[in-house]
Amino acid sequence: MEEIINQKIKRVEGSFRDPAGSVYKFEKRIFREIKKEYLPIYKFIKEKNIYQKHINNKYLLKFEELDKSNYVNNNFDKDSLILESLFLDTITYPYEWGFDQLRDAAIFTLNFNLELLKDGFTLKDASPYNVQFINSNCVFIDTLSIVKYNEGDYWIPYRQFCEGFLNPLILQSKKNIFYNNFYKGNLTGINTGDLSELLSFFN
């Protein structure tokens, strides 16, 4: 692994919402910084073999831990853990996808969550931006979206899933209105109140 000491790694735009960590890019390399506060959760999930299990079954994008000593002089906090993810040459976004792609990504997200639940874990994020396509196959790219499930908890990203996946699919399937431009005005998708108004308006 080549060292990149003293070379600036740029944070990926949009990678600021999750307090657990951020994503950075250097040439054709992608790094995920895991903040100190999230490390116990990451290590617990790793010890349960959840990451490797779902890398092996093609749900989760492959990554590896790096020797942080090479990166202290960059943008990373000195107490963070650094992962390097498999670099994808092509990144696409839901506003570029056709109906079948968005539907496949939605089903994939639900199936991944069901697989996680079997081992007592779940997704805390269900954004379509966390799914990419390798050839025609979906893969989940956000390592830090996996968390422990506590019995009786509701699914935290239910609203996010509806706005990002379900509502756009309903709009196009029921009214043949293409959802793509809605993402450009609202990156989270279509909220349920707006969908209700749109369906009523076109009845």
Side-chain angles (χ1 to χ4, degrees):
M1 192 69 63
E2 296 181 2
E3 294 185 359
I4 52 176
I5 297 177
N6 295 325
Q7 299 187 53
K8 285 297 181 183
I9 301 173
K10 295 182 179 180
R11 188 165 68 176
V12 174
E13 291 184 11
S15 177
F16 58 86
R17 296 181 179 180
D18 191 346
S22 299
V23 178
Y24 293 80
K25 182 179 180 181
F26 177 78
E27 296 180 348
K28 285 196 170 184
R29 298 174 69 180
I30 294 292
F31 304 94
R32 185 177 297 278
E33 177 187 23
I34 302 180
K35 301 289 188 180
K36 177 179 66 175
E37 294 78 11
Y38 187 82
L39 280 176
I41 300 173
Y42 168 83
K43 291 177 179 178
F44 175 75
I45 297 171
K46 179 184 175 182
E47 289 169 1
K48 297 294 184 180
N49 200 40
I50 299 301
Y51 295 125
Q52 193 58 52
K53 174 180 178 178
H54 294 296
I55 289 172
N56 293 343
N57 66 19
K58 310 298 184 183
Y59 276 106
L60 187 63
L61 188 68
K62 183 178 180 181
F63 68 88
E64 61 177 315
E65 292 182 15
L66 299 185
D67 180 356
K68 184 175 63 61
S69 64
N70 290 344
Y71 303 95
V72 170
N73 295 327
N74 280 279
N75 294 336
F76 302 125
D77 292 342
K78 64 180 181 179
D79 294 324
S80 297
L81 177 68
I82 309 304
L83 311 178
E84 181 169 6
S85 296
L86 177 69
F87 183 83
L88 300 179
D89 288 315
T90 302
I91 298 293
T92 60
Y93 302 98
Y95 51 80
E96 302 173 306
W97 298 346
F99 183 90
D100 289 348
Q101 288 176 296
L102 187 63
R103 178 201 60 200
D104 290 349
I107 294 171
F108 168 83
T109 300
L110 292 176
N111 284 338
F112 185 25
N113 195 63
L114 289 173
E115 288 298 316
L116 288 168
L117 285 170
K118 292 177 182 178
D119 293 313
F121 293 86
T122 187
L123 293 174
K124 70 174 182 178
D125 297 302
S127 167
Y129 295 92
N130 286 339
V131 179
Q132 286 297 312
F133 292 89
I134 299 180
N135 298 320
S136 59
N137 299 314
C138 296
V139 64
F140 200 85
I141 64 172
D142 190 357
T143 308
L144 300 184
S145 286
I146 300 173
V147 294
K148 183 77 172 66
Y149 173 73
N150 297 310
E151 190 65 33
D153 281 356
Y154 64 89
W155 193 34
I156 297 170
Y158 173 74
R159 176 177 176 178
Q160 186 182 48
F161 179 85
C162 289
E163 293 183 349
F165 286 113
L166 186 59
N167 293 349
L169 291 170
I170 290 174
L171 182 63
Q172 185 164 334
S173 64
K174 294 295 185 181
K175 297 300 176 183
N176 199 30
I177 298 174
F178 293 94
Y179 52 76
N180 305 76
N181 285 333
F182 283 89
Y183 285 109
K184 295 179 182 180
N186 180 8
L187 291 177
T188 61
I190 304 173
N191 70 56
T192 302
D194 288 344
L195 177 67
S196 178
E197 292 292 333
L198 286 166
L199 292 180
S200 298
F201 179 78
F202 287 101
N203 276 340

